[in-house]
Amino acid sequence: MWSIRFLKRLCLRAAASKRCSGQITVWLSLSFLVFLSLYLLCLQSVQKQSARRQAEQAVESGLFSLFSEYEPHLLEDYDLFCLNTSFRSGMERSDEICSHLWKFTKDNITGTTGNALEGLTLQGVNVQDFVRVTDGNGAVFYRQAVGVVKQKTGISLAEEWILDDALQAEMSENSSRFQEDCADFEGSVVNYENEDDEAVEAEAFEWDGIWNHFALSQAVKSTAALSEKSITLSNVPSGRDLSVGVGSADGSEDGVLEKQLFISYLCDYMTNAQEALPAEESGSAYLDYQMEYILCGQASDQQNLEQTLRMLLLMREGVNYAFLLSHPTYSEKAETLAYLLAGITLNEALIQSVKQLILLGWAYGESLVEVRQLLQGYELAVVKEEADWQLPLGGVLGLIGNPGRYDAQSPAQEGISYETCLRIFLTTKSAQTLAMRSLDVIEGELQLEEGCEQIHLDHCIEGLTAQVWMNDIYMERTYQYE
């Protein structure tokens, strides 16, 4: 009996043990399915992320390769990075850009065996939102040119901690005041030629009337060959309708620092009359007096040079006229001559008017001498002193027939050069005017390069936005030269 009871108890335990073991197996099976599903889900997510990273890298590399096809002449001649969307064909070709980007991107998702990496398949490419160098009235080009000068001079490294916002605002305000003062200065020299009193002899008017007899040949040496080059203003970027992109001005272009840096860029990459006149051969096939064109915007070299020299004469005449008024000896000489010419009238007001005519004519003659010297590479004293005065009163009228009589500067002066004067005049122009006229010159020079005859700067871009489709992945990337 005891053994039978023992066996029953043992069998019951065995049955209970089997039932318990079955329950644990089902729980483990369900848990395993849950964990397996989670693992597969994570694995699929990792695969998708890996594929997306591969796609992003392929697009970034494709855009980098696309922008490595920059226009080489712009970089070599002007240190500008731009992608020519017309590929020198004269017509913008967005489809060609897409074709290049497609090829570069596809190469980056294809393995060495020719199979697609991560199972990626390139399905579509599109480009839009071009940032053209002509956008914002040349603001895109303007900022890139300023950046070139900053990098060359090292200003970009110290700009953030040297120029705080308050200082930049003050400099901008000073720049605006300076431009207003320059505008007010124009026409400040009085012209007495319209004097109504018929009693003044014709010889007295001649002292001031020599301004109206100014000819370009009087300001340059007889051995210098004036440029005969001219352009058609309706064909240049500043005169024609341009393709428009998404680039724009940011409001900092007319800041005094940015403008001076841009003018420094122009001085480095553009020619002026002082450099071109002594040369035996033309250094430029487009325009010889490029800085003068940027300043005046006329169609021919001679028009631009003449207008520039008239501005220079006006500026120096004001300085010289003020010097004569403040110098008693020279003022007395002019008054003596005025009495000789108009003293017979016994009209003191008329005599004083003639004196002013003589002083103006004398100041103009001295200014003409200075302009000729500037074009020959001499410098001028900023503050005129008696030792710096070069033209005697008796030589003023004779200067018209022999303007080169005082070309040799003695004693030598130090101060402002012809380039410095151009800088002063260019500062009075707006950033938009400077940028667009500079683009006129750059485009004209490029079109004379072999293979670049059809290039247009409004087809040259600094950046774009690319749209790429791969499998179920959509990417949009904005890329531009930094």
Side-chain angles (χ1 to χ4, degrees):
M1 291 296 294
W2 179 84
S3 59
I4 294 174
R5 188 179 301 171
F6 174 77
L7 289 174
K8 287 182 178 180
R9 290 180 179 179
L10 183 61
C11 292
L12 289 174
R13 288 177 182 175
S17 176
K18 288 180 180 180
R19 186 170 57 251
C20 182
S21 177
Q23 291 174 351
I24 294 176
T25 301
V26 171
W27 180 84
L28 286 175
S29 299
L30 293 175
S31 299
F32 177 75
L33 290 175
V34 172
F35 283 111
L36 181 60
S37 300
L38 181 61
Y39 171 77
L40 293 176
L41 182 63
C42 293
L43 181 61
Q44 185 179 16
S45 176
V46 169
Q47 289 177 339
K48 287 185 177 180
Q49 292 300 319
S50 177
R52 186 170 187 84
R53 278 200 307 272
Q54 183 67 45
E56 291 176 347
Q57 291 174 359
V59 172
E60 291 290 338
S61 299
L63 286 170
F64 181 84
S65 299
L66 176 66
F67 275 79
S68 67
E69 297 182 324
Y70 53 81
E71 175 55 52
H73 293 93
L74 273 174
L75 180 62
E76 293 172 4
D77 298 339
Y78 299 100
D79 284 333
L80 299 175
F81 278 102
C82 294
L83 177 65
N84 186 1
T85 60
S86 69
F87 297 91
R88 303 184 184 178
S89 66
M91 298 291 292
E92 190 163 76
R93 301 173 61 186
S94 298
D95 57 335
E96 187 70 16
I97 300 176
C98 292
S99 176
H100 285 221
L101 182 58
W102 177 287
K103 178 182 181 300
F104 295 138
T105 304
K106 188 173 182 179
D107 289 343
N108 285 290
I109 61 173
T110 303
T112 56
T113 60
N115 298 323
L117 300 177
E118 303 291 347
L120 293 172
T121 301
L122 187 59
Q123 297 175 337
V125 169
N126 184 47
V127 290
Q128 61 182 15
D129 295 342
F130 293 156
V131 180
R132 308 175 189 274
V133 294
T134 54
D135 284 347
N137 289 322
V140 175
F141 155 69
Y142 188 96
R143 289 194 294 269
Q144 191 171 152
V146 169
V148 169
V149 179
K150 285 182 178 180
Q151 291 179 359
K152 285 188 172 182
T153 58
I155 293 179
S156 58
L157 299 176
E159 184 178 21
E160 293 184 358
W161 59 272
I162 289 180
L163 300 176
D164 57 16
D165 294 339
L167 180 58
Q168 290 190 19
E170 181 180 355
M171 294 173 69
S172 177
E173 181 179 356
N174 292 337
S175 176
S176 300
R177 290 179 180 176
F178 174 74
Q179 294 186 39
E180 292 174 0
D181 292 341
C182 289
D184 293 340
F185 173 77
E186 295 184 7
S188 61
V189 178
V190 180
N191 188 348
Y192 292 93
E193 189 177 4
N194 295 324
E195 181 70 48
D196 293 332
D197 198 324
E198 298 180 356
V200 181
E201 299 181 17
E203 184 179 1
F205 287 124
E206 189 174 357
W207 285 87
D208 185 56
I210 57 178
W211 168 267
N212 297 321
H213 294 106
F214 171 77
L216 193 56
S217 58
Q218 294 178 345
V220 299
K221 296 182 67 173
S222 58
T223 57
L226 288 171
S227 170
E228 300 288 343
K229 296 174 181 176
S230 62
I231 60 175
T232 303
L233 294 179
S234 59
N235 294 336
V236 297
S238 63
R240 68 169 188 262
D241 293 332
L242 302 173
S243 300
V244 180
V246 299
S248 61
D250 60 12
S252 65
E253 288 78 15
D254 274 314
V256 62
L257 177 61
E258 285 74 14
K259 182 173 286 189
Q260 290 306 315
L261 290 175
F262 183 76
I263 294 174
S264 296
Y265 175 87
L266 298 181
C267 292
D268 289 341
Y269 294 90
M270 305 291 175
T271 60
N272 61 53
Q274 191 269 319
E275 299 169 346
L277 283 172
E280 296 182 359
E281 296 183 0
S282 172
S284 167
Y286 184 65
L287 288 176
D288 286 344
Y289 315 147
Q290 296 174 355
M291 294 283 284
E292 287 77 6
Y293 169 76
I294 295 172
L295 175 62
C296 302
Q298 301 300 313
S300 71
D301 269 338
Q302 292 193 20
Q303 287 177 316
N304 290 316
L305 181 57
E306 181 174 356
Q307 189 169 331
T308 300
L309 296 185
R310 284 186 176 274
M311 295 170 62
L312 188 53
L313 282 168
L314 180 61
M315 181 183 74
R316 293 306 299 178
E317 184 176 5
V319 173
N320 293 326
Y321 180 60
F323 170 80
L324 291 174
L325 288 175
S326 63
H327 198 283
T329 302
Y330 292 164
S331 182
E332 289 175 2
K333 289 182 179 181
E335 187 171 6
T336 301
L337 181 57
Y339 272 105
L340 291 176
L341 295 175
I344 193 173
T345 64
L346 300 179
N347 186 332
E348 186 64 25
L350 182 60
I351 293 173
Q352 292 302 316
S353 296
V354 173
K355 174 186 175 182
Q356 298 304 317
L357 291 176
I358 294 171
L359 290 175
L360 283 169
W362 197 359
Y364 169 79
E366 177 74 7
S367 302
L368 183 59
V369 170
E370 292 177 334
V371 168
R372 290 180 62 91
Q373 292 176 348
L374 285 173
L375 288 174
Q376 296 175 57
Y378 289 101
E379 295 184 358
L380 300 178
V382 178
V383 180
K384 202 83 169 180
E385 297 182 358
E386 186 173 1
D388 300 322
W389 195 266
Q390 303 173 82
L391 180 65
L393 181 59
V396 174
L397 295 179
L399 192 66
I400 299 177
N402 184 19
R405 182 178 179 183
Y406 301 96
D407 281 354
Q409 192 179 84
S410 180
Q413 302 178 29
E414 294 183 359
I416 59 174
S417 63
Y418 182 75
E419 182 180 296
T420 304
C421 295
L422 288 179
R423 283 177 172 269
I424 295 173
F425 295 145
L426 289 170
T427 303
T428 65
K429 300 296 181 180
S430 67
Q432 292 79 9
T433 299
L434 296 179
M436 291 306 298
R437 289 178 181 173
S438 301
L439 290 174
D440 296 345
V441 175
I442 293 174
E443 182 177 280
E445 289 287 346
L446 286 178
Q447 289 178 347
L448 297 172
E449 299 277 355
E450 184 178 358
C452 298
E453 294 81 1
Q454 299 297 323
I455 193 171
H456 296 92
L457 289 183
D458 54 326
H459 294 161
C460 295
I461 65 172
E462 185 186 66
L464 56 76
T465 298
Q467 298 171 314
V468 181
W469 292 266
M470 295 185 193
N471 299 7
D472 59 345
I473 302 173
Y474 167 75
M475 287 169 292
E476 184 173 298
R477 293 291 182 272
T478 299
Y479 199 93
Q480 67 181 40
Y481 293 108
E482 296 291 343

